[in-house]
Amino acid sequence: MNAIGRAGAGGALSRDAVHVWAASRGVAAMAVPASGAEAAAWAVRGWAEVALGCAVLGRAFDGLDGVVRSAGIRHGGPGAVRLRALRALGGTVPAYYPDAGDPGPVAPVGVEVWRLCGLLAEFCDAVPMGVPAGSSRGRDSARGQLRWGERYRPEPARRYRIVRGDAYAGMVWRTWMRLPCPGGSENVLVAVGRKEPELQRRVWLGIHEGAHLDQLAVGEGELEFGAGLLAAESYAMAVEIVALLEAARDGQVELARWLRHGLLERVGRMPGFDGQVPAARGFRSPELGWLPTLASTYVTGPFALLCAPGTTPLHARWRAALAGAPRAAEVVARISGTVPAPPLPRPPVPAR
C-alpha cells in the first residue's frame, strides 16, 4: 500500500460510493466540541478536509454539497477560502457554500491554557543539548521523510498510500486521511510540496504527520474530526515532545531546534496571543483565530496524554527521555495535574 499514486486516482470506486463517503464525512465534520461561531468555523474547516478527499477521489463533490446546503452556515472564516478553492476544482462553487466572512465572536483562550503555554516555553528552554553528532536523513521525499521519521515515532506503521497533491498547493492543511477504496478503506497521505527548510519539513511530515498515519493504521475510531481530531493532535504533539528530548539527548542539535521551534509555534498561533511568551512571538495562523479549542489542544493535549499513567511505547519513551533531562522533568512536575481536561463531544452545529 505504501506506493506513490496520482491524486485523483480513485481506482474502481463508484461515484455512488464517493457520494456516500462524502456525505457521511461531511456530517462527521460538524460534530465538534464547540458551539456558536466556533462550531461553524470548525465545521467549515472540516468540510475543507472532506473536499480534499473528494478531489483525490475524482472530484465528485455532490455528497458534500448536500451536507453544506442543509447546514446553512453562511460565514466560515478563513477555512472557507480552502473549502471554496477545493470545491471549485469540480466546477462553479454553489451559492450556498459559506464565504470567508466573520462567523461571529468566540470564547477567549482560558487562563490555565495560557499558563501552560508559559510552562511549555520553560520546558523547551530546560531541555539539555547533547554533544553534536552527525545524522543520516535519507531521501528528501514524502516516502523518504516518513521512513526517516520512524526512528522518532513509537509505533511506526507503513500502511498508507501516498498520492501526489501538487494540484492542491495552497488549499491543504491536514494531509492525512482515511479514504474509501474498492476493498474497503485505505490510509492516504496527500504529498504537497512545501518551501520550508528541509529539517522543518521532516519534523512536519516524518514525525507529526507520520504519527497521524500510525494512529490511522491501528485505530478504527474517529480521528479526523471533532473530539477524535483533538485526540489525534494530542498524540502527534506528544510524539513531537518526546522527539525533542530524544534528538537533544542524541546530539541532533539542529533537529532539536526545529522541534522546539514547532512547539513554540503552537503557542504563538493561539487566538489572542499578545506576546506574553517572548519565544513564541512572530507566529500566526488566521484559520485558527476562531478555533480556540483546537488551537489550545496542540498545547494542552500532549501533556494531558504524557502526564497520565500509561504503559504504551510512547509513555515508555517519554519516561526514558525525561530521566535524562532533570530540569525539564522539574517543569513537567509543575505541569502534571494542572492540565485542563479535554472538552466533551457535542451535537452537530445548528444551521446559521
Side-chain angles (χ1 to χ4, degrees), residues 22-49:
S24 66
R25 301 315 284 156
V27 171
M30 297 173 64
V32 296
S35 59
E38 182 181 6
W42 202 339
V44 170
R45 175 185 169 89
W47 289 339
E49 318 303 3

Side-chain angles (χ1 to χ4, degrees), residues 302-342:
F303 283 112
L305 176 59
L306 292 170
C307 293
T311 58
T312 67
L314 173 66
H315 285 91
R317 290 178 69 153
W318 163 246
R319 288 190 291 268
L322 196 61
R327 286 184 55 225
E330 290 176 5
V331 179
V332 171
R334 291 157 56 197
I335 292 172
S336 183
T338 66
V339 181

Side-chain angles (χ1 to χ4, degrees), residues 182-199:
S185 65
E186 62 178 348
N187 305 322
V188 171
L189 176 88
V190 182
V192 179
R194 294 177 181 261
K195 298 180 180 179
E196 290 84 356
E198 181 194 355
L199 264 181

Side-chain angles (χ1 to χ4, degrees), residues 81 92 106 151 165 190 212 240 248 286 300 319:
V81 175
T92 302
V106 298
R151 70 195 70 184
V190 182
H212 285 307
E240 282 196 42
T300 63
R319 288 190 291 268

Side-chain angles (χ1 to χ4, degrees), residues 128-135 137 152 199 244 246-261:
M129 294 293 174
V131 178
S135 64
R137 298 179 186 172
Y152 294 107
L199 264 181
L244 168 60
E246 293 179 336
R249 176 198 63 199
D250 297 340
Q252 302 301 314
V253 176
E254 187 181 0
L255 172 59
R257 286 172 179 160
W258 278 116
L259 284 158
R260 179 180 182 274
H261 174 95

